[in-house]
Amino acid sequence: MFAFLSEILQKNHIDCFAALPLSACKVTKPYLLERAGITEGSALLLAVPYFTPACADPERNLSAYAVGRNYHAFFDALFEELLPLLKARYPEHRFAAFADHSPIAEIEAAARAGLGVIGKNGLLLTERYSSYVFLGELVTDAPLPYTLVQPRSCEDCGLCQSACPMSRIGTCLSALTQKKGELDGEEIAALRRYGSCWGCDLCQEVCPHTLRALQSGTIYTPIPYFHENNIPKLTLDVLDAMEEDEFLQRAYSWRKRETIRRNLLLLQEKKDEKGGPHA
């Protein structure tokens, strides 16, 4: 079964995956496993890279994960292909797949499966792609070959913690960009200071794992999906010109246009005050 899974994943340009027993995972949402009828078996952890040359654009004003289309659609298409094939080939076993809304602690499980180490920023740091990966997993009641490792932390250089603006602005910058409604004066100042209309990558950008992956060129995803329809710099004109179907393909769509538009307006007002060009 593992060879069959490997063939399908590699066909989809996914090369960072490994299995471990469910008993070695920290189950955080047991009802998801119960709903799938799986109480014991294996989890196949997938680390799906998403960084593209567009993410390295120096004028990028939103988190790298939001430059391309929503990753949920990628996982949906992958699992829609994978699950029927598995159920037809192995009808005696049960299968379920998850991304984001997961029954297990994904980062810890991925580190225990040997996919990477856990950074001080709480992210999984892989050798090839650094932390620029989305995590998902296939869960089955079938046994899969595995090699367990003791989850390790990174080298503790402290660069990610020093770069994080949270201690300086009193809140998570990524959460601030996603906050609905009006922002107060301090929040507006923070948004303008860091120039992000959505998300924050500061801790990832300074990480030695990221710098090594950039220098070697391994950081770039081989998956075509993430190279399509990239928007590294979002502007009001681009946002307002988006048809609703296109907008819904974006990671920021769940917060509605009003939230991202507010952020762009605040950033544009700062440029206007300095006499700069409009966003």
Side-chain angles (χ1 to χ4, degrees):
M1 183 185 295
F2 188 80
F4 180 67
L5 285 165
S6 298
E7 180 182 347
I8 297 173
L9 293 175
Q10 289 171 0
K11 185 187 75 171
N12 284 278
H13 308 282
I14 300 171
D15 56 14
C16 192
F17 57 90
L20 74 169
L22 271 177
S23 59
C25 301
K26 181 179 180 181
V27 177
T28 55
K29 297 183 179 70
Y31 68 90
L32 292 176
L33 293 177
E34 293 166 4
R35 187 182 298 167
I38 300 172
T39 56
E40 58 182 22
S42 308
L44 183 69
L45 273 295
L46 317 177
V48 174
Y50 62 86
F51 199 89
T52 67
C55 297
D57 188 326
E59 295 193 8
R60 175 169 59 86
N61 65 349
L62 70 174
S63 186
Y65 84 91
V67 168
R69 291 177 293 164
N70 196 328
Y71 69 94
H72 290 98
F74 172 80
F75 276 109
D76 287 346
L78 174 67
F79 294 150
E80 284 174 8
E81 174 192 2
L82 184 57
L83 289 176
L85 291 173
L86 288 168
K87 290 173 181 177
R89 190 178 182 104
Y90 306 101
E92 71 277 18
H93 291 295
R94 292 178 179 269
F95 301 93
F98 305 93
D100 199 16
H101 187 54
S102 169
I104 62 175
E106 292 179 313
I107 293 173
E108 180 182 327
R112 193 176 291 275
L115 297 185
V117 300
I118 300 175
K120 290 298 179 183
N121 55 7
L123 302 176
L124 181 76
L125 307 178
T126 69
E127 183 176 354
R128 288 181 59 83
Y129 307 111
S130 187
S131 52
Y132 293 91
V133 294
F134 297 123
L135 297 180
E137 62 276 345
L138 173 78
V139 177
T140 176
D141 59 3
L144 293 175
Y146 64 90
T147 300
L148 288 183
V149 301
Q150 183 64 32
R152 294 185 296 113
S153 296
C154 61
E155 49 266 59
D156 196 17
C157 67
L159 289 174
C160 62
Q161 294 166 320
S162 298
C164 179
M166 187 169 182
S167 62
R168 297 187 289 278
I169 66 177
T171 187
C172 171
L173 179 61
S174 182
L176 175 60
T177 65
Q178 299 174 30
K179 183 178 178 180
K180 284 191 173 184
E182 294 185 8
L183 303 182
D184 63 30
E186 291 183 358
E187 292 171 330
I188 291 172
L191 187 76
R192 289 174 168 173
R193 184 182 309 131
Y194 293 100
S196 175
C197 67
W198 184 265
C200 177
D201 287 338
L202 291 173
C203 69
Q204 299 188 88
E205 291 169 352
V206 300
C207 177
H209 291 257
T210 295
L211 299 180
R212 287 196 295 268
L214 278 168
Q215 289 169 357
S216 67
T218 65
I219 196 170
Y220 298 107
T221 178
I223 300 173
Y225 177 90
F226 295 109
H227 288 269
E228 300 167 356
N229 301 319
N230 285 179
I231 303 176
K233 184 180 180 182
L234 189 62
T235 66
L236 285 168
D237 288 343
V238 171
L239 179 67
D240 291 343
M242 279 189 194
E243 298 290 343
E244 190 63 14
D245 286 350
E246 182 183 357
F247 179 71
L248 291 175
Q249 294 178 22
R250 300 292 163 178
Y252 35 84
S253 64
W254 71 280
R255 271 305 196 193
K256 311 301 182 186
R257 286 182 191 259
E258 293 78 10
T259 301
I260 192 80
R261 198 171 197 282
R262 174 206 62 199
N263 296 343
L264 289 168
L265 279 169
L266 290 172
L267 294 177
Q268 177 175 296
E269 288 169 5
K270 178 184 178 181
K271 287 188 176 182
D272 290 345
E273 290 170 3
K274 290 186 174 181
H278 285 190

